[in-house]
Amino acid sequence: MTASNVPATADAFATRLLAWFDVSGRHDLPWQHPRTPYRVWLSEIMLQQTQVKTAAPYFERFVAALPSLPDLAAAELDSVLGLWSGLGYYARARNLHSAAKLCVERHGGELPRDIDALTALPGIGRSTAAAILAQAWDDRHAILDGNVKRVLSRYHGIDGYPGLPAVERQLWALAESHLPQARMVDYTQAQMDLGATLCTRADPSCILCPLQHDCVARIEGRVAELPTPKPGKTVPQRQAQVLWLLDDDGRVLLQRRPPSGIWAGLWTLPQSEEAAGAQQWFQAHVRGDFAAGEALPAVAHAFSHYKLDLWPRRWRGIALRDRVGDNDDLRWFARAELAALGIPAPIRKLIEAA
C-alpha cells in the first residue's frame, strides 16, 4: 500500500488517538511537571536512544544539578558527562552542552521557537525539533521518531525499511496528514505512548489499540512484517586490552579519551587494541612488572555498529614514572570521586564491582 491509499477513516486517526491518550496515556512523566522548553528538550535528547523508565531517574538528577539552560551552558563538560554517565551514546551529552552554549550566545539563553533555528543546533534533527515545539509551545508540527514510524508503517501498510529516504518521505507526508488542529502537546505524547506501550516492535497489543479497526497491517495479518526490518549485516567484533592500575592508596588511574570517536571526552582505563601495545604503554608510564598483572575475565560490550570484548589486567600498589605524574588527561582518582565522573558503563561496572 502507498501513501495515497489512506484508509477512508484517516480523519479519525488523531481523534481516536487522543481519546485513548486521555484514558491510557502517560501523564506523570517527570518532564511534564513543569513542562518548560528546557525540560522538554532535555527529555527528547535523553529519549533518542533510551527508554522512559531508564531515562527518568537520569533526567531528575540532571535537572536537579543543572535546572536551567544557562546553568547547563555554564557547566564544565566533565560535569555534564558525569551526570550522563551510564546513559550511553555520549555524543548526545556533548551536543546538548554545545547547543546550550550556542543558545546563550545567539538566543538570549533560551531555546528558539523556530524549527530552522532549532535544527541548526547540535544534536537536534527535524523530528526532535518538532517534538520540542509541539510539547513546549503547542505548535503544530509532525514528529517521526521510531515509535511513530512503526505506527504509521503498520496503520498504512507501508513496505520498505523506514530509514530509507524514499520510505521516510512517505511517512513524513502521512505524519503531516494526520495532524489535529489543536492539542498538539497531548497528540505528540500520544503517538510516542502508543508505539512504546501497545504498538511495540514485538508482541504488539492490537486488541487494545484505538486504531485497530483501520490498521492495514492488522487487517491483512502483516503486523509481524511491518515495519520492514533494516537489511541485515555482519556486526564486527573487536578486542581491547584494558590496564586497571591501583596505587598504594587504592586510587585508580584513569585516562581521558580523545575529543572525538568512541567514548569521546570520557574518563576510562588506559587501553590498547593489542597486548603488545598495552605492554608498551605500561612500560612507558609505570614503574612495575607488566607480567605481574592479574588477568581478569573479559567484559563484553555492544555498540550500535560493532561489538567489543574488553580484556582487563589489574595491578595493585602501582606508581607512575616520575616524568609522567598527574596531568589533564591521566589522573589518579579516589573511589569517592568516581561518581561525579563521566565513565563508560562497562568500565564503571568493572572498577566499582571490586
Side-chain angles (χ1 to χ4, degrees):
M1 179 171 286
T2 64
S4 61
N5 300 121
V6 178
T9 53
D11 291 342
F13 184 95
T15 301
R16 291 175 178 171
L17 194 53
L18 283 166
W20 169 83
F21 175 76
D22 288 340
V23 176
S24 304
R26 295 181 288 196
H27 301 271
D28 296 309
L29 299 173
W31 39 88
Q32 295 173 331
H33 308 286
R35 191 192 303 272
T36 67
Y38 172 67
R39 291 165 67 89
V40 168
W41 170 45
L42 176 58
S43 71
E44 285 299 315
I45 300 302
M46 286 189 169
L47 293 172
Q48 283 176 349
Q49 302 284 351
T50 308
Q51 293 183 343
V52 166
K53 64 181 180 181
T54 301
Y58 281 91
F59 175 88
E60 292 177 324
R61 185 177 69 165
F62 200 101
V63 294
L66 304 172
S68 72
L69 189 152
D71 291 327
L72 171 58
E76 295 292 330
L77 179 58
D78 271 351
S79 298
V80 176
L81 292 173
L83 292 167
W84 202 272
S85 185
L87 266 181
Y89 297 94
Y90 290 91
R92 295 180 297 172
R94 292 190 294 274
N95 286 334
L96 196 72
H97 189 236
S98 297
K101 289 186 172 184
L102 288 173
C103 285
V104 169
E105 294 173 10
R106 302 175 182 175
H107 305 293
E110 298 181 352
L111 278 176
R113 187 176 175 177
D114 176 81
I115 195 159
D116 292 330
L118 280 174
T119 54
L121 295 172
I124 300 182
R126 177 181 173 183
S127 184
T128 299
I132 294 169
L133 291 167
Q135 294 185 97
W137 289 289
D138 204 32
D139 291 347
R140 194 168 180 266
H141 290 280
I143 66 168
L144 195 68
D145 67 0
N147 284 321
V148 178
K149 286 180 178 179
R150 185 166 57 254
V151 170
L152 292 178
S153 293
R154 286 173 174 166
Y155 184 76
H156 290 285
I158 303 299
D159 291 297
Y161 171 56
L164 295 174
V167 180
E168 191 169 58
R169 284 194 297 271
Q170 199 174 7
L171 294 173
W172 271 115
L174 291 168
E176 297 279 358
S177 75
H178 288 304
L179 286 178
Q181 293 301 318
R183 294 190 65 188
M184 284 305 304
V185 171
D186 292 341
Y187 178 71
T188 302
Q189 187 66 52
Q191 293 174 90
M192 295 186 285
D193 285 0
L194 185 74
T197 63
L198 295 186
C199 195
T200 51
R201 183 175 290 105
D203 299 321
S205 302
C206 296
I207 194 171
L208 301 176
C209 180
L211 307 176
Q212 60 175 291
H213 299 297
D214 299 322
C215 178
V216 172
R218 189 199 66 80
I219 293 168
E220 296 181 355
R222 303 178 60 212
V223 173
E225 299 174 21
L226 297 175
T228 303
K230 182 177 183 179
K233 63 178 181 179
T234 303
V235 179
Q237 182 78 44
R238 300 182 186 176
Q239 313 282 326
Q241 308 296 315
V242 176
L243 292 83
W244 184 0
L245 305 167
L246 299 164
D247 69 4
D248 285 329
D249 296 322
R251 297 182 303 171
V252 62
L253 186 70
L254 296 181
Q255 185 174 43
R256 193 196 301 270
R257 296 282 295 178
S260 61
I262 296 299
W263 294 337
L266 300 186
W267 288 95
T268 184
L269 297 173
Q271 67 183 61
S272 175
E273 291 185 2
E274 299 177 353
Q279 184 170 358
Q280 185 178 23
W281 189 96
F282 183 95
Q283 291 170 344
H285 293 81
V286 177
R287 294 200 301 265
D289 180 9
F290 181 82
E294 174 190 4
L296 300 170
V299 176
H301 185 69
F303 293 97
S304 58
H305 53 294
Y306 71 90
K307 295 180 180 178
L308 178 65
D309 283 337
L310 299 169
W311 293 91
R313 185 181 289 268
R314 181 171 56 193
W315 295 261
R316 300 181 187 276
I318 288 295
L320 296 179
R321 294 187 182 278
D322 293 337
R323 63 182 178 82
V324 178
D326 275 4
N327 57 65
D328 287 342
D329 297 320
L330 187 68
R331 290 179 51 194
W332 293 105
F333 288 97
R335 180 174 289 271
E337 298 177 284
L338 300 180
L341 297 177
I343 301 174
I347 301 298
R348 184 181 295 279
K349 183 177 180 181
L350 177 67
I351 60 181
E352 291 188 349

